[in-house]
Amino acid sequence: MLAGERELRDLVGGNAWLTRALTVVRDSGLPDAWIGAGALRDLVWGDRYGDGFDPATVRDVDVVFFDPTRLSRDDDRRATARLAAAWAVPPWEARNQAAVHTWYASKFGGNPIAPYRSVAEAVATWPEYATAVAVRLRPSGGLEVCAPYGLADLLGGVWRHNPARVGVPLSRQRLARHRPAQRWPGVTVIEPG
């Protein structure tokens, strides 16, 4: 078990909105499906460093899944629609991590990337260490955590650039857009560079 994993499980399990979202994802039939990134950060940092977690302020619920047999962007749209049909409230955004290499360079620039071999490999490339975390409900219940870099930045309120895939200019743009120190007083921002 990762350091802090029980703490994260308690925070997630204690939030009815996120638990319902995780149930929808688990029951959706999407293969190897997880919720990660901003929704988790918003929950943890809202609880610890802000005015609490407000689901209405969640920009998107990043759902990642892994299906190497279906690599079109239309499949992502269908997956998102499937989640919205089950529960229309969250701003779902489903992405097949097995297909990221087919569109990454055209969306973000740079050289093509190699195909990911798993959700965990994809999560390890997410822009900040605090958001390089995903969770899912096991079929029998209980929360499973994917955190390639651990949970220290997420639970400790540290915004730090993950250089695995995102360069410094994009990291600075994200920092300016998300304004973590203003949204969550007490969060430590480590400037990229």
Side-chain angles (χ1 to χ4, degrees):
M1 183 177 286
L2 293 168
E5 189 171 329
R6 188 172 314 283
E7 218 173 319
L8 180 62
R9 287 176 188 217
D10 289 346
L11 282 168
V12 171
N15 184 273
W17 185 88
L18 191 53
T19 299
R20 182 173 179 190
L22 285 162
T23 302
V24 167
V25 170
R26 180 194 63 200
D27 297 345
S28 70
L30 295 172
D32 198 12
W34 303 70
I35 290 178
L40 290 177
R41 177 204 56 218
D42 291 359
L43 170 68
V44 173
W45 289 4
D47 181 72
R48 292 185 166 196
Y49 305 103
D51 297 327
F53 175 68
D54 180 359
T57 64
V58 173
R59 294 177 187 190
D60 55 35
V61 177
D62 292 302
V63 175
V64 294
F65 62 100
F66 199 82
D67 185 353
T69 67
R70 304 184 70 122
L71 302 181
S72 81
R73 292 307 295 264
D74 286 337
D75 292 317
D76 287 348
R77 286 186 277 281
R78 281 192 286 276
T80 300
R82 183 187 304 181
L83 296 167
W87 187 25
V89 174
W92 301 107
E93 188 172 289
R95 295 287 178 263
N96 182 2
Q97 300 304 287
V100 171
H101 69 283
T102 67
W103 53 262
Y104 187 89
S106 64
K107 181 171 182 171
F108 295 109
N111 296 322
I113 65 170
Y116 295 132
R117 295 170 294 199
S118 67
V119 166
E121 186 176 34
V123 169
T125 70
W126 290 357
E128 293 86 34
Y129 292 123
T131 56
V133 178
V135 295
R136 69 175 172 186
L137 287 179
R138 292 185 180 99
S140 60
L143 194 70
E144 187 172 351
V145 176
C146 174
Y149 303 105
L151 297 169
D153 280 7
L154 175 61
L155 295 174
V158 178
W159 178 287
R160 181 190 334 250
H161 170 231
N162 174 8
R165 177 81 57 223
V166 174
V168 170
L170 181 56
S171 182
R172 287 189 177 131
Q173 289 173 7
R174 288 181 52 79
L175 183 58
R177 184 174 74 238
H178 288 283
R179 303 175 353 271
Q182 288 78 30
R183 287 176 69 192
W184 304 286
V187 164
T188 300
V189 173
I190 298 174
E191 292 285 337

